[in-house]
């Protein structure tokens, strides 16, 4: 596989996120229906949080085990654990700061009539801001996926790289639904959806580019930790949004459905890696 072909496939894997965005174009829907869709999206993001944090915490445990058995230094183990803690904390606290300074102004300029929160109001009252926050968190996660694609190709495992592209591409479709769910019934502009899709899916291409020329376990830990923290934040925001219009049991049932949709698509990636 040539370098240009690898980058093209990486771009395709990222662009599949746009297949999940059309749900945002749904016109008038009831509050309960929207909350069900929100619950499904929350379940998908919850699965991503568990998947990401299991990898991150596993890296920390591996670093400690390596230091204990002489395969690496104690300093590297301490650095890895510190980066995990800083990354998760930064993801949790950084997204609200980015929302306030960047995402909310961008949402107001590009949402084309979607209801916006007044200055100083909680972020959860703005569907556009919440959608962009989700896109930012997923983008960090997808950069890590792109790194895996690029590193597989660089190591000579071309077949694995192609299978990862297929699996991540399928996974990105469900992530697109997570980005779009807060926007249902608000009629966002095509430009706004394009920007949110690029924010979430574009990093897959960038990660493929970086991973094919440079490998770093530390960098992977940093990006996945940031992604885990940011997705914890947006998951709680979506859950709060769903609870505003739907009883607990139906919301949790839709959340479970979304969780297993995310799990089913992830099995494709697992089969590729196996």
């Amino acid at each position: 596989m040539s370098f240009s072909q690898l980058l093209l496939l990486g771009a395709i894997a990222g662009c599949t996120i746009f297949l999940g965005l059309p749900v945002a174009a749904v016109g008038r829907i009831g509050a309960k229906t929207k909350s069900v869709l929100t619950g499904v999206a929350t379940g998908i993001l919850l699965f991503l949080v568990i998947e990401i944090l299991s990898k991150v915490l596993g890296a920390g445990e591996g670093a400690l085990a390596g230091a204990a058995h002489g395969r690496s230094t104690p300093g590297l183990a301490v650095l890895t654990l510190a980066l995990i803690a800083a990354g998760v904390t930064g993801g949790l606290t950084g997204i609200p700061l980015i929302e306030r300074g960047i995402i909310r102004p961008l949402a107001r300029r590009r949402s084309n009539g979607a209801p916006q929160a007044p200055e100083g109001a909680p972020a959860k009252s703005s569907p556009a801001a919440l959608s962009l926050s989700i896109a930012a968190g997923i983008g960090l996660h997808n950069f890590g996926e792109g790194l895996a694609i690029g590193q597989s190709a660089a190591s000579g495992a071309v077949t694995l790289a192609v299978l990862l592209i297929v699996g991540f591409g399928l996974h990105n479709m469900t992530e697109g639904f997570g980005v779009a769910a807060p926007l249902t019934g608000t009629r966002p502009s095509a430009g706004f959806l394009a920007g949110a899709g690029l924010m979430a899916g574009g990093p897959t291409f960038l990660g493929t580019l970086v991973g094919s020329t440079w490998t770093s376990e530390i960098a992977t830990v940093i990006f996945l930790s940031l992604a885990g923290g940011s997705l914890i934040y947006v998951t709680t925001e979506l859950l709060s949004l769903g609870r505003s219009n739907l009883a607990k049991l139906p919301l949790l049932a839709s959340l479970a459905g979304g969780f297993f949709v995310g799990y089913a698509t992830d099995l494709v990636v697992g089969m590729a890696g196996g």
Side-chain angles (χ1 to χ4, degrees):
M1 179 189 298
S2 69
F3 183 65
S4 59
Q5 289 174 327
L6 174 65
L7 293 184
L8 176 61
L9 291 176
I12 291 173
C15 286
T16 57
I17 202 164
F18 287 94
L19 298 178
L21 292 179
V23 69
V26 176
R28 295 181 178 179
I29 61 173
K32 290 186 177 181
T33 301
K34 180 176 180 178
S35 292
V36 168
L37 294 175
T38 300
V40 173
T42 306
I44 292 170
L45 294 182
L46 178 61
F47 174 79
L48 288 177
V49 168
I50 294 174
E51 178 194 38
I52 292 169
L53 292 185
S54 66
K55 293 178 180 178
V56 169
L57 298 179
E61 292 172 2
L64 282 177
H69 294 88
R71 295 190 299 270
S72 63
T73 64
L76 179 60
V78 172
L79 175 62
T80 301
L81 294 174
L83 289 174
I84 291 171
V88 173
T89 303
L92 274 167
T93 60
I95 289 294
L97 294 175
I98 293 172
E99 269 187 318
R100 185 170 60 185
I102 299 175
I103 289 178
R104 287 197 200 176
L106 179 63
R108 284 194 293 267
R109 288 196 301 268
R110 303 189 63 184
S111 61
N112 191 27
Q116 298 297 315
E119 192 67 30
K124 65 182 181 181
S125 62
S126 171
L130 180 54
S131 175
L132 289 178
S133 297
I134 293 171
I138 287 176
L140 287 170
H141 168 241
N142 284 343
F143 186 84
E145 290 186 345
L147 287 176
I149 294 171
Q151 290 173 9
S152 296
S155 66
V158 176
T159 301
L160 174 59
V162 172
L163 290 173
L164 287 175
I165 288 167
V166 173
F168 290 146
L170 178 60
H171 209 165
N172 280 349
M173 284 190 285
T174 61
E175 292 170 357
F177 176 70
V179 173
L183 299 170
T184 51
T186 65
R187 295 299 182 103
S189 68
F192 180 86
L193 288 178
L198 286 175
M199 184 183 293
T204 305
F205 170 79
L206 295 177
T208 301
L209 175 62
V210 172
S212 62
T213 57
W214 175 72
T215 60
S216 171
E217 292 185 8
I218 292 296
T220 301
V221 167
I222 292 172
F223 280 104
L224 289 182
S225 298
L226 285 169
S230 61
L231 288 178
I232 290 173
Y233 169 75
V234 295
T235 298
T236 59
E237 291 292 285
L238 270 183
L239 188 60
S240 176
L241 182 65
R243 282 295 305 273
S244 63
N245 292 306
L246 198 66
K248 182 184 295 185
L249 187 58
L251 177 63
L252 292 178
S254 60
L255 188 150
F259 181 90
F260 286 108
V261 166
Y263 176 61
T265 59
D266 190 66
L267 287 177
V268 177
V269 182
M271 292 172 64

